[in-house]
Amino acid sequence: MLGFIIRPPHQFLSLLLCPGLRIPPLSVLSAQPRPRTMAVSSSSWELPLVAVCQVTSTPDKQQNFKTCAELVREAARLGACLAFLPEAFDFIARDPAETLRLSEPLDGNLLGEYTQLARECGLWLSLGGFHERGQDWEQTQKIYNCHVLLNSKGSVVATYRKTHLCDVEIPGQEPMRESNSTLPGPSLESPVSTPAGKVGLAICYDMRFPELSLALAQAGAEILTYPSAFGSITGPAHWEVLLRARAIETQCYVVAAAQYGCHHEKRASYGHSMVVDPWGTVVARCSEGPGLCLARIDLNYLRQLRQHLPVFQHRRPDLYGNLGHPLS
């Protein structure tokens, strides 16, 4: 069994779910069989375990932290070495003005609480999209959507600021104008070595741009992470398809922690947090409601797959250029 799902107590769920949303029972996901030539030889219990957290953020920052901390502590209790939180884990505001008012710098109180949480639990944290007041806040009065990676000592080891901003109008879904309050990040971040493997950082809408994932893979990424707050219209149509495509084309694990459910009267998210292996198989998935799913990362399997199907050796940049230039 490669992946499974944990649900918090019903009392804990009731703080976050919108009225009428169903609380499902504990569920288990079985992985699809892999090709015989790439079977896992080592015991799965020896492999690093990662936790993917699914939450329903609101404008209440302290309640959101309590929710996330409960899931992170449960992930640590179950033996995870790295826990992934979704985009906007800190809050989801009702409008751009509230977003700017609630934002903080990286050295603010909220990140300090997560630093202490990482130390307390002794695991790494992927904080998938923090509303960051950058050094240019006074001049721009805009923020960055910042993916922060903390190690088990609570130190910031990497930050990635979202480079592709979601300015879209989808019929049946609230218009998104991320650029009203947010600036695009200037660069990609080189993959970071963690206890689970080399992690490449991205955020949500970035998954629609394969050049980014190819650049991270060519720079050595073994795990791509797309913390997200996908909408209710694009989610059923594109979410799993895009995540599996990014895994297959890069031969990486893909970890996607997602927002779920009704955040307030103006916004809801699709959920369906998941882990996809390099073959494109969904090996762990959250269903409805806040909770977490767990998956083991098998880097020997990843290396075998890349050896059997060496697509990066077969690329023809002489014909179509080097899509996704390797990071310097």
Side-chain angles (χ1 to χ4, degrees), residues 211-224:
E211 298 90 344
L212 185 152
S213 61
L214 290 170
L216 292 173
Q218 291 180 82
E222 297 162 324
I223 302 167
L224 301 178

Side-chain angles (χ1 to χ4, degrees), residues 59 61 90-105 130-134 136-145 165 177-184:
K61 292 164 66 175
D90 50 352
F91 64 86
I92 291 183
R94 296 177 180 84
D95 53 54
E98 187 175 43
T99 295
L100 295 174
R101 180 174 60 80
L102 293 174
S103 63
E104 296 185 17
F130 175 72
H131 297 86
E132 178 206 2
R133 291 189 183 184
D136 54 1
W137 163 254
E138 294 296 334
Q139 293 76 36
T140 66
Q141 293 296 293
K142 287 191 174 185
I143 60 174
Y144 293 96
N145 189 341
L165 300 185
R177 287 286 181 272
E178 192 171 12
S179 64
N180 284 348
S181 60
T182 306
L183 295 168

Side-chain angles (χ1 to χ4, degrees), residues 188-194 196-202 212-226 246-247 249-254 278 297 299 302-303 306 312 326-327:
L188 304 184
E189 179 72 19
S190 295
V192 180
S193 293
T194 76
K198 291 185 178 179
V199 174
L201 305 180
L212 185 152
S213 61
L214 290 170
L216 292 173
Q218 291 180 82
E222 297 162 324
I223 302 167
L224 301 178
T225 180
Y226 293 101
R246 297 296 82 82
E249 72 194 4
T250 62
Q251 298 177 320
C252 288
Y253 281 88
V254 166
I297 303 298
L299 296 181
L302 178 148
R303 295 180 189 114
R306 291 180 176 182
F312 280 92
L327 304 180

Side-chain angles (χ1 to χ4, degrees), residues 39-269:
V40 180
S41 56
S42 59
S43 168
S44 64
W45 300 108
E46 300 171 1
L47 302 173
L49 185 70
V50 299
V52 186
C53 302
Q54 182 165 283
V55 301
T56 309
S57 292
T58 71
D60 187 337
K61 292 164 66 175
Q62 277 308 303
Q63 182 58 56
N64 296 336
F65 174 74
K66 290 178 182 177
T67 298
C68 292
E70 181 79 13
L71 291 174
V72 169
R73 292 188 179 104
E74 180 68 4
R77 187 187 69 79
L78 293 167
C81 64
L82 200 164
F84 295 84
L85 293 173
E87 181 181 32
F89 68 94
D90 50 352
F91 64 86
I92 291 183
R94 296 177 180 84
D95 53 54
E98 187 175 43
T99 295
L100 295 174
R101 180 174 60 80
L102 293 174
S103 63
E104 296 185 17
L106 288 179
D107 60 358
N109 292 334
L110 187 60
L111 255 293
E113 291 184 280
Y114 279 97
T115 293
Q116 293 177 21
L117 180 64
R119 284 200 299 261
E120 169 199 327
C121 295
L123 82 172
W124 288 55
L125 291 179
S126 163
L127 306 178
F130 175 72
H131 297 86
E132 178 206 2
R133 291 189 183 184
Q135 295 182 351
D136 54 1
W137 163 254
E138 294 296 334
Q139 293 76 36
T140 66
Q141 293 296 293
K142 287 191 174 185
I143 60 174
Y144 293 96
N145 189 341
C146 184
H147 189 159
V148 182
L149 188 64
L150 302 178
N151 65 17
S152 57
K153 296 180 181 179
S155 299
V156 176
V157 295
T159 54
Y160 162 73
R161 292 164 180 89
K162 188 177 182 182
T163 49
H164 303 98
L165 300 185
C166 189
D167 287 0
V168 300
E169 292 188 17
I170 306 296
Q173 189 172 294
E174 279 288 318
M176 289 289 295
R177 287 286 181 272
E178 192 171 12
S179 64
N180 284 348
S181 60
T182 306
L183 295 168
S187 62
L188 304 184
E189 179 72 19
S190 295
V192 180
S193 293
T194 76
K198 291 185 178 179
V199 174
L201 305 180
I203 301 173
C204 198
Y205 192 57
D206 286 334
M207 77 177 68
R208 295 186 180 274
F209 302 90
E211 298 90 344
L212 185 152
S213 61
L214 290 170
L216 292 173
Q218 291 180 82
E222 297 162 324
I223 302 167
L224 301 178
T225 180
Y226 293 101
S228 298
F230 241 60
S232 56
I233 301 299
T234 54
H238 298 161
W239 173 249
E240 182 175 327
V241 175
L242 286 169
L243 294 173
R244 295 181 68 188
R246 297 296 82 82
I248 293 167
E249 72 194 4
T250 62
Q251 298 177 320
C252 288
Y253 281 88
V254 166
V255 178
Q259 292 282 345
Y260 168 84
C262 179
H263 307 289
H264 45 68
E265 65 278 5
K266 294 183 178 180
R267 186 166 175 185
S269 294

